[in-house]
Amino acid sequence: MAFDFLVENIAQQKQRARYRVRQCVAEQNGRHVKINDVTYLNFSSNDYLGLNHHPEINQALLEGAERFGTCASGSSLITGYSYAHQALENEICDWLNQPKCLLFASGFSANSALMQALGHKSCQLYLDKLSHASLIDGALSSEAKVKRFLHNDITQLERFIVQSQSAANSDINSIDDEINRVIVSEGVFSMDGDQADIANLSKIAQQYQALFYVDDAHSIGVVGDKGQGSSSMANVDVVMATFGKSIATSGAFVACDENLAEYLVNFSRHYIYSTAISPALAWATKKSIELIQTQHWRREKITELSHLLESKLSEKVQLIKNASSIHAIVIGDEMATLDVCQKLRDRGIWLSAIRPPTVPNNSSRLRVTVTSSHEIKDINYLADCINEVIE
Ligand SMILES: Cc1ncc(COP(=O)(O)O)c(C=O)c1O
C-alpha cells in the first residue's frame, strides 16, 4: 500500500521502546508541572532561570503588543522589522559585545541558516560529534565539506585541520589559503550538560584562521557573570542562542560581525523568507535579558542546587558531572530508562527519558534540569527517589 513506511516505522519505533508521545501540560513553571490533573515536581524544564511567568516580562509583552502588535505582519526585509526588534538586537550586541545581531524564528532555523550560509563550497565545517540536530542538518545540506570530531576532542579536531591543510597543499589546483574553516561547538551540550573547552577551541580557531561558531542555547543566561554565555570566556566569532530556554520567550538570535550579518540579510533563505518574530515577544525578550544581566542570584542558585544534587546521589548512579543546569544520569537500555521514569513519576517527579536517536545507542538517560525555581527540599527529595529506584 502507498505510504506503508509510515505505519511500519511507527511499529518499529514501538518495538524498540523509542515510541514518543506528547503530554498536554495544563500549567508549568521552573519547579512544577501539571499533567492530567496531577502536579509533579518538574525536572525537565529548560526554564533554567525561572523567568517564565515573571511579572515584568509579562508586563513588557502586554506593552509590546499595544505599541507594536502581536504580529510582525511581514518578513524583516519587507515591513516586519520594527523598533522592538531593533531595540532587542541592540541590547544583545551590548550584552555580548558583538557588532551585529539578527533575530530568527527559532534556534533550529538560526543554526540551519548559519550552517548553510557559512557552508560555501570553499568551506570546511568541523562539528563536535554531539552537535544539535539543527547544526548537523544545516551542515549536511550545505555545499561545504563536513567533518565531525569526537566529542570535546580538540586533539582530533586539530589533526583534521592539519590533514586538510596537507591535502590542500599536495593538490596543485588548490591553495590552502582558499579553504575557509568553521569550528562549530555548543557551549553547554544539550544532552550531557558538559561544557566545551571554549578557551582552547577559540585558540585553535585563531591559530588556523578559522571562524569559531558557538551554539549557546544552554549557556546563555546561565554562564558568565552577566549570563552572556560562552563569549564571556574567550573570543567567539558567531554566537547563536535560542530565547526559548533561560530567556523564557521564543525565537533566537545570531550575533556576529557586520560582514556576516550583511551576508545573511542578503542571502539567508531562513531569514529572508520567514515572518519576523512577534514584536511583542521581542519587547518581552529585551526585558528578560535586562533582568538576566542583573539578577545574579539565579545563576548562583543553580550552582548551589547542582552541587547539592551531585553530593546526594549515591555512587551507583552514573551522573555526568558538570557545572551547568543539565545533569544527565545514564541508564543505557531504553526499557530500563522508561521504567525508572515511571517509578519517579509514581513518586511525583516529572523527568523525561531521553532515548536514541537523540542520544547514541545504549546511552538512554534521565536528563535532570535544575532551575533557580527549585528549592533545597526538592533536590533532596529527587536524590532520595533516584537513589531508591536506580538499582
Ligand atoms: C543545542 C540546541 N540548539 C538549538 C536548539 C533549537 O532551539 P529552538 O528550540 O529555539 O528551535 C536546541 C533546542 O531546542 C538546542 O538544544
Side-chain angles (χ1 to χ4, degrees), residues 306-360:
S306 296
H307 286 152
L308 178 66
L309 176 66
E310 202 179 304
S311 71
K312 290 275 169 179
L313 289 174
S314 82
E315 280 182 3
K316 67 186 174 187
V317 176
Q318 270 192 55
L319 175 75
I320 301 179
K321 293 189 179 154
N322 63 68
S324 74
S325 274
I326 304 167
H327 304 278
I329 295 173
V330 179
I331 313 263
D333 176 68
E334 283 100 318
M335 284 302 281
T337 311
L338 286 174
D339 184 51
V340 168
C341 272
Q342 188 52 52
K343 285 179 177 152
L344 290 172
R345 226 162 261 185
D346 296 341
R347 288 162 174 76
I349 289 172
W350 193 271
L351 262 181
S352 305
I354 310 289
R355 292 162 287 162
T358 309
V359 291

Side-chain angles (χ1 to χ4, degrees), residues 126 147-149 156-164:
Y126 299 93
K147 275 272 189 195
R148 294 176 66 190
F149 56 95
Q156 189 183 55
L157 165 66
E158 192 167 10
R159 200 176 319 127
F160 284 164
I161 296 177
V162 172
Q163 278 166 0
S164 71

Side-chain angles (χ1 to χ4, degrees), residues 19-25 33-36 38-44 337-355 365-367 381-382 385-386 388-389:
Y19 183 62
R20 294 148 193 247
V21 287
R22 297 173 302 168
Q23 299 286 348
C24 185
V25 169
V33 60
K34 189 171 174 186
I35 294 171
N36 296 332
V38 182
T39 299
Y40 298 87
L41 267 176
N42 185 5
F43 286 102
S44 281
T337 311
L338 286 174
D339 184 51
V340 168
C341 272
Q342 188 52 52
K343 285 179 177 152
L344 290 172
R345 226 162 261 185
D346 296 341
R347 288 162 174 76
I349 289 172
W350 193 271
L351 262 181
S352 305
I354 310 289
R355 292 162 287 162
R365 65 194 60 190
L366 308 176
R367 180 178 177 272
Y381 181 65
L382 171 71
C385 292
I386 291 178
E388 193 183 310
V389 301

Side-chain angles (χ1 to χ4, degrees), residues 106-109 111 132 134 186 188 190 215 217-218 240 242-245 251-252:
S106 71
F108 201 105
S109 172
N111 273 340
H132 190 259
S134 51
E186 291 179 27
V188 165
S190 54
D215 173 339
H218 301 278
M240 189 301 294
T242 167
F243 299 136
K245 302 191 195 291

